[in-house]
Amino acid sequence: MSISIAEHDYIRLSEANMEKNKIDDKDLNFKATELRLGLPGSESPERESVTVKKRGFADTINGGSGKWVFAGNGGLEVDLVQNGGNKNLGCVKAESDVLVLPKGGLLEKKGLVSVKSDGQTSVPATKQQVVGWPPIRSFRKNTMAVSQTKNEENNDPKMGSGCLYVKVSMDGAPYLRKVDLKIYSCYLDLSSALEKMFSCFTIGQYGSHGAPTREGLSESRLMDLLHGSEYVLTYEDKDGDWMLVGDVPWDMFIGSCKRMRIMKSSDAIGLGKILNTPQNLDFSTTNQEVKSPLNLAPRAMEKCRNRN
Amino acid sequence: MMLLQPSMDPNRKRAKSVDRVDSVDSGSESFESTRKCGFPDEVLERVLSLIDSHKDRSSVSLVCKDWYNAERWSRRDVFIGNCYSVSPEIVAARFPRVRSVTLKGKPRFSDFNLVPEDWGADVHPWLSVFSTAYPFLEELRLKRMAVTDESLEFLATNFHGFKALSLLSCDGFSTDGLKAIATHCKNLTELDIQENGIDDLGGHWLSCFPESLTSLEVLNFASLNSEVSFDALEKLVSRCKSLRVLKVNRNVSLDQLQKLLLHCPLLMELGTGTFMQELISGPVTEFKTMFSNCKNLVTLSGLWDATPLYLPVIYPACASLTFLNLSYATLRSDELANLLAHCKSLRRLWLLDTVGDKGLEAVGSCCPLLEELRVFPADPFDQEIFLGVTESGFVSVSHGCPKLRYVLYFCRQMTNAAVATIARNCPDFTHFRLCIMNPGQPDYLTKEPMDDAFGSVVKTCTKLQRLAISGLLTDRTFEYIGKYAKNLETLSVAFAGSSDLGMESVLKGCMKLRKLEIRDCPFGNAALLSGLTKYESMRSLWMSACNVTMNGCRALAKEKPRLNVEVMRDEEGSDDSQAHKVYVYRSVAGPRRDAPPFVLTL
């Protein structure tokens, strides 16, 4: 099963400048305002994304997986971290999120954003690279790249070294997140963290119902959404099989987990052998006394509770 | 002791100075009768030779001709901040008795790939001149210079008393060049190789040190990748009894390090190799005493791959540490907290952002004497990473470490309020380098530009010498800088500003500005030309990916013949009217004669 994740990066800047820029944008046609990442004065209108001749080191690290996105994720990710999703709502579908550019539109000129004729802005789907940014010396870049590869090769939790980043995707969310499994000690910690990270998207989905404002959506409503059988947390193990998170002991889990996916329970039917019992499909009844966000396998929840 | 008045007219002749001396001390007649002119040169030279500061020496040389001469003859140590600002011939002519030279070459942004290869800053012309002018040269410290193996060989074979070589961020040479140094420099005391673009052909160079070499005091090869012969290393370390700085590379294992430490009890600075064992051969206890002999250790670095299992090994050495470099150890907050509990004397701390805000809280509570903090990103290019440090970590440190004066902080979110708090807590900042890694990112809570953040820094921290700004910034930031940052000498700007006014404010207001480096900002010709009268008092100006045109640069070059205005043409062959990379610097040596084809001097 493949997850299609459309990458939309929304930039949220101050409301104050919004009005100013709206007027300017109206008159521009798409072609004129479609700007790419290029140095001032460079032509080449036929290019969608600019290839920078001198490869930034991002290219050389991890086979080019390191790419840079501008002014997009930054603001949003940040909100998620700090506010547990309560404040920053509507980051997926909010129409009020209009890109506000500083006077002179530097980011625009740099092709970091493209301004469409209706005033909507977005960072181009292909993540662009900036040479020499962030300003880190080559030696450090190369050294950290080596460390990362080493960590990926020797993913032995007992070593206790470094970090263990795995990608987490959520059905319906516009982009992936990455978490370091090493910083959590049990399933409960992990699922709480994931809940915080992705709650924004869940709320966004229900935006049209309750028209949530910053202080609108209460804590309890959030919990309700997640404790319901809406979503389950699954992971892909070393063998490429998709399993329900929580079935195996924690240490074994972090040793074999390659990536995670928060999927709709409706899609999770038939996932792994543990979902054969009807009990597992409806967590809201079995786990009511245990606050089990993201619906982990009940056995794991028991273990976690005992440990705590 | 009679003192010459400091405010003498530099053009005064000798005769006049006699009168001056007379009037100062009337009881000196007997002295005066034996002397025709002021201080004996030998005495003056002796006195001046005690002055180390380059700034002071510059001032001294302006007093009068006598002092100029005395100063130049007593100068042992020359510092050249921009190798193209002066020629080796001029240096040699003015300072005949130099023993130590420090040379800096390429603009700083070359560290981040913004300067093409073969740009210049070749050390060889300097070595050629020095081989005749300073045959007794002892020390050479190069930063961002182009160095070849031939040059290193030339150095090793032409300067017989050569003692200390330091290469930082240089490129163009290989380990073969190091072989030459190791082989021929019989009196070598220092070999310091840091973060260079070096062609690593193997570790054999270390084995080239002869058995007779026992003078080594500093050996740093931490940034070299290939393995050296441990046998050769151990023998070298054991026969160099004065070794005080040893920084090995990652290939040196823990048990190898343990053996090395037995041989150098006087060690003050240590850079470890890899700090874990892949195959857990024995208990960690076998390393417990590793550091108990190192009574003099004040600096510890390396610690690659350090794990919580092995980190406690360094605890015995922590109490006396003043500088701890953990920027290659991916520690978590709890691991750091446990370690820092032992490090009460720390003045300088370098970390990776894997420690998170919680780790920084530990810094704030454990290290009250901290003066310098650098937090590097473990994964700067991966936007999906959720972790790292935020404004709250920085604030925690500022609460616990009021003596902070140097900070380099990479983060993914920041607020104006947090920076204002930080500045209030630490008013003694001299170096404030904040890198919000997403270009143009605003205050994540208020969505405002980060203008007020840097405004509060420059207003509160009056001693500020160096500033690097980031985030969403309008011209207001630059107005603040121009208005308040009166001691600012170095400013780094990227993806900031709204108009020419920004750069103009800085050029107008920052009296002590020496280095200005700008990239990807909307500053154009008006801004560039507003600094017309200022650039000669600065070391250099760098502007890349701004709105400056060739005409603007030509205008500047025409008005100021003593400035070198260099434009680097973009490889992609774009419109000639845009000046993509501009480098302006003062020079008494005239335009470069070694400029490559893509560098145009206007």
Side-chain angles (χ1 to χ4, degrees):
Chain A
M1 55 190 97
S2 62
I3 305 154
S4 66
I5 293 157
E7 292 182 58
H8 300 291
D9 299 305
Y10 292 84
I11 300 172
R12 296 178 48 151
L13 302 175
S14 95
E15 299 279 318
N17 289 332
M18 255 164 64
E19 298 313 306
K20 221 187 265 185
N21 285 303
K22 264 192 175 141
I23 304 163
D24 295 333
D25 295 338
K26 236 188 273 178
D27 301 322
L28 302 171
N29 65 44
F30 182 76
K31 201 67 177 125
T33 57
E34 189 192 349
L35 295 160
R36 299 142 299 254
L37 179 66
L39 296 171
S42 61
E43 297 293 305
S44 58
E46 68 281 354
R47 285 192 289 179
E48 258 281 289
S49 63
V50 174
T51 50
V52 180
K53 231 179 204 176
K54 207 154 176 78
R55 293 198 327 164
F57 269 91
D59 262 344
T60 61
I61 297 171
N62 291 338
S65 64
K67 301 230 180 200
W68 199 251
V69 174
F70 310 122
N73 285 336
L76 290 172
E77 285 191 4
V78 150
D79 284 339
L80 293 168
V81 178
Q82 286 303 301
N83 308 313
N86 284 341
K87 273 195 186 165
N88 177 30
L89 305 177
C91 46
V92 172
K93 292 184 201 244
E95 289 87 5
S96 59
D97 271 344
V98 177
L99 171 68
V100 175
L101 298 170
K103 183 173 159 224
L106 173 78
L107 292 176
E108 211 181 332
K109 288 202 178 95
K110 298 298 165 195
L112 302 185
V113 297
S114 54
V115 183
K116 299 191 167 67
S117 50
D118 61 354
Q120 281 286 355
T121 55
S122 62
V123 174
T126 47
K127 294 179 181 183
Q128 307 283 8
Q129 284 182 30
V130 183
V131 175
W133 190 265
I136 295 176
R137 286 210 189 130
S138 330
F139 176 71
R140 177 169 294 282
K141 276 192 264 201
N142 295 341
T143 307
M144 296 321 295
V146 171
S147 297
Q148 273 214 314
T149 335
K150 272 193 179 177
N151 277 336
E152 277 158 28
E153 284 165 11
N154 334 320
N155 252 350
D156 183 357
K158 287 191 183 66
M159 293 303 288
S161 65
C163 321
L164 188 57
Y165 284 114
V166 294
K167 293 190 181 185
V168 186
S169 61
M170 177 166 169
D171 289 358
Y175 47 82
L176 302 176
R177 309 310 295 275
K178 263 191 187 177
V179 292
D180 177 8
L181 291 180
K182 285 276 166 67
I183 67 171
Y184 308 108
S185 50
C186 70
Y187 285 114
L188 193 59
D189 288 349
L190 171 64
S191 74
S192 304
L194 289 178
E195 174 196 340
K196 282 200 189 111
M197 257 184 250
F198 286 97
S199 56
C200 153
F201 306 123
T202 325
I203 294 154
Q205 304 248 327
Y206 289 86
S208 50
H209 293 179
T213 60
R214 279 178 177 238
E215 37 286 320
L217 199 69
S218 64
E219 189 78 37
S220 55
R221 175 141 169 73
L222 165 60
M223 288 302 177
D224 287 345
L225 288 173
L226 293 169
H227 290 174
S229 53
E230 226 17 82
Y231 293 96
V232 289
L233 181 59
T234 63
Y235 74 102
E236 185 182 9
D237 71 4
K238 277 191 167 132
D239 305 321
D241 298 325
W242 284 91
M243 314 282 287
L244 196 65
V245 168
D247 193 42
V248 300
W250 174 254
D251 286 334
M252 199 186 299
F253 166 69
I254 61 175
S256 62
C257 173
K258 289 287 147 219
R259 58 184 172 130
M260 290 190 278
R261 177 181 162 195
I262 303 168
M263 61 168 75
K264 297 217 171 82
S265 332
S266 44
D267 294 338
I269 293 171
L271 186 72
K273 45 189 192 270
I274 44 171
L275 289 181
N276 286 339
T277 55
Q279 229 178 339
N280 292 332
L281 289 174
D282 181 10
F283 285 102
S284 51
T285 51
T286 53
N287 291 337
Q288 250 158 21
E289 69 284 5
V290 175
K291 290 228 166 206
S292 155
L294 294 174
N295 303 313
L296 300 176
R299 224 182 314 157
M301 290 312 305
E302 283 297 311
K303 281 203 181 133
C304 218
R305 255 191 313 168
N306 294 338
R307 202 176 298 174
N308 292 338
Chain B
M1 173 96 127
M2 285 180 288
L3 292 169
L4 295 169
Q5 289 181 17
S7 56
M8 281 170 78
D9 179 352
N11 292 323
R12 285 193 97 103
K13 303 252 166 53
R14 269 192 178 189
K16 286 283 176 87
S17 67
V18 175
D19 297 338
R20 279 286 191 90
V21 167
D22 238 341
S23 59
V24 166
D25 189 350
S26 52
S28 62
E29 257 171 303
S30 55
F31 183 89
E32 277 310 294
S33 61
T34 60
R35 298 263 315 128
K36 293 283 191 271
C37 29
F39 259 153
D41 288 340
E42 303 81 46
V43 175
L44 190 55
E45 270 178 53
R46 183 72 188 93
V47 170
L48 295 183
S49 66
L50 300 172
I51 300 177
D52 289 329
S53 150
H54 292 113
K55 275 194 187 142
D56 288 345
R57 278 186 166 269
S58 283
S59 310
V60 157
S61 63
L62 291 173
V63 171
C64 66
K65 260 198 159 176
D66 282 352
W67 282 45
Y68 178 88
N69 281 321
E71 194 280 313
R72 60 183 272 262
W73 281 95
S74 65
R75 177 96 63 126
R76 292 282 173 273
D77 189 342
V78 170
F79 171 84
I80 298 156
N82 174 6
C83 65
Y84 286 119
S85 63
V86 70
S87 73
E89 292 83 3
I90 294 173
V91 174
R94 178 166 170 190
F95 302 112
R97 292 217 209 122
V98 162
R99 295 285 161 119
S100 160
V101 175
T102 303
L103 261 176
K104 292 189 180 179
K106 302 184 195 181
R108 196 179 76 94
F109 279 171
S110 71
D111 281 348
F112 317 124
N113 282 9
L114 287 181
V115 177
E117 281 171 38
D118 307 326
W119 178 83
D122 187 0
V123 74
H124 208 87
W126 292 85
L127 294 177
S128 307
V129 171
F130 290 166
S131 62
T132 43
Y134 309 135
F136 303 112
L137 188 69
E138 292 176 357
E139 296 179 11
L140 188 63
R141 297 174 198 287
L142 305 179
K143 187 169 184 180
R144 290 189 206 103
M145 298 288 294
V147 181
T148 60
D149 288 342
E150 291 71 37
S151 295
L152 289 175
E153 177 131 20
F154 185 87
L155 174 66
T157 49
N158 284 279
F159 298 86
H160 299 286
F162 193 72
K163 289 187 178 167
L165 178 64
S166 166
L167 300 173
L168 172 55
S169 212
C170 298
D171 65 342
F173 62 105
S174 78
T175 41
D176 285 349
L178 298 182
K179 272 190 196 170
I181 299 289
T183 309
H184 300 292
C185 299
K186 307 280 183 235
N187 301 307
L188 201 66
T189 58
E190 177 174 339
L191 183 59
D192 185 357
I193 311 295
Q194 281 188 61
E195 300 193 40
N196 300 291
I198 184 173
D199 219 349
D200 199 331
L201 304 170
H204 322 287
W205 60 272
L206 191 112
S207 310
C208 293
F209 281 112
E211 294 281 325
S212 51
L213 187 97
T214 57
S215 46
L216 216 51
E217 295 170 27
V218 174
L219 178 62
N220 177 3
F221 61 96
S223 58
L224 293 182
N225 288 324
S226 48
E227 200 169 332
V228 301
S229 148
F230 180 69
D231 189 54
L233 177 60
E234 189 176 15
K235 291 202 172 103
L236 179 65
V237 167
S238 59
R239 66 177 183 265
C240 294
K241 307 288 181 203
S242 309
L243 198 66
R244 51 182 175 80
V245 176
L246 176 64
K247 296 184 182 176
V248 300
N249 68 10
R250 206 171 184 172
N251 301 103
V252 173
S253 70
L254 257 187
D255 39 51
Q256 286 176 336
L257 184 69
Q258 186 174 40
K259 292 194 186 117
L260 290 177
L261 289 180
L262 292 173
H263 298 295
C264 40
L266 297 178
L267 213 58
M268 293 178 66
E269 298 183 26
L270 174 67
T272 74
T274 184
F275 219 74
M276 67 142 174
Q277 300 271 82
E278 290 256 341
L279 306 158
I280 303 175
S281 49
V284 181
T285 47
E286 86 183 54
F287 296 119
K288 264 173 100 176
T289 53
M290 194 156 92
F291 284 92
S292 43
N293 279 338
C294 302
K295 306 284 179 218
N296 296 325
L297 215 57
V298 288
T299 295
L300 190 58
S301 60
L303 298 168
W304 280 294
D305 321 306
T307 72
L309 199 59
Y310 289 98
L311 213 47
V313 165
I314 72 173
Y315 289 177
C318 285
S320 53
L321 284 184
T322 56
F323 178 21
L324 183 55
N325 182 353
L326 296 169
S327 64
Y328 293 105
T330 50
L331 299 185
R332 301 198 316 258
S333 58
D334 48 340
E335 294 159 7
L336 178 68
N338 292 337
L339 170 56
L340 289 182
H342 298 83
C343 305
K344 299 291 178 192
S345 315
L346 273 187
R347 302 273 196 285
R348 302 170 64 197
L349 179 60
W350 294 18
L351 297 171
L352 269 186
D353 67 356
T354 52
V355 302
D357 288 334
K358 275 200 94 184
L360 294 179
E361 279 171 36
V363 174
S365 30
C366 297
C367 308
L369 301 175
L370 202 66
E371 294 172 10
E372 175 178 329
L373 176 69
R374 301 196 196 198
V375 182
F376 296 94
D379 226 320
F381 301 106
D382 200 333
Q383 260 295 55
E384 292 159 1
I385 295 282
F386 192 53
L387 299 168
V389 293
T390 71
E391 80 283 3
S392 95
F394 200 166
V395 170
S396 310
V397 175
S398 74
H399 278 304
C401 310
K403 293 190 178 182
L404 263 189
R405 29 155 230 95
Y406 191 121
V407 117
L408 169 61
Y409 199 80
F410 284 86
C411 58
R412 291 184 172 89
Q413 67 187 54
M414 191 49 62
T415 67
N416 287 308
V419 178
T421 305
I422 291 159
R424 221 171 22 243
N425 291 338
C426 305
D428 294 334
F429 272 124
T430 55
H431 297 67
F432 192 88
R433 303 165 64 189
L434 178 62
C435 182
I436 303 166
M437 291 193 272
N438 228 340
Q441 182 172 302
D443 177 322
Y444 81 95
L445 286 180
T446 66
K447 311 305 175 198
E448 304 265 291
M450 295 297 297
D451 297 334
D452 287 335
F454 295 103
S456 51
V457 170
V458 294
K459 278 183 212 167
T460 320
C461 307
T462 52
K463 300 180 206 163
L464 200 67
Q465 291 168 25
R466 181 171 179 185
L467 181 64
I469 60 183
S470 58
L472 180 65
L473 300 171
T474 71
D475 285 345
R476 257 194 332 132
T477 301
F478 300 96
E479 282 167 34
Y480 287 140
I481 295 174
K483 188 171 176 194
Y484 295 103
K486 293 307 177 188
N487 284 315
L488 194 66
E489 296 179 17
T490 306
L491 179 63
S492 307
V493 186
F495 306 103
S498 338
S499 74
D500 285 339
L501 276 176
M503 186 171 160
E504 286 169 16
S505 310
V506 168
L507 289 170
K508 205 165 50 169
C510 296
M511 307 279 91
K512 294 196 185 170
L513 196 64
R514 292 190 302 116
K515 288 175 277 185
L516 181 57
E517 46 185 26
I518 301 172
R519 61 165 293 181
D520 295 274
C521 296
F523 304 140
N525 293 336
L528 176 70
L529 293 170
S530 73
L532 211 61
T533 50
K534 192 162 179 74
Y535 300 132
E536 274 180 23
S537 66
M538 288 170 56
R539 184 187 294 177
S540 64
L541 165 73
W542 167 282
M543 286 179 80
S544 61
C546 297
N547 292 342
V548 174
T549 69
M550 293 296 286
N551 287 331
C553 296
R554 282 190 197 105
L556 176 61
K558 190 164 174 226
E559 287 298 313
K560 290 283 162 186
R562 284 194 300 190
L563 290 179
N564 280 356
V565 179
E566 295 179 7
V567 176
M568 265 174 266
R569 275 185 273 239
D570 189 37
E571 293 114 311
E572 292 177 0
S574 34
D575 186 358
D576 266 325
S577 71
Q578 285 295 324
H580 304 286
K581 288 176 185 165
V582 181
Y583 186 47
V584 179
Y585 58 92
R586 65 182 176 188
S587 178
V588 294
R592 284 172 62 178
R593 273 160 288 166
D594 64 349
F598 59 84
V599 173
L600 187 65
T601 306
L602 300 175

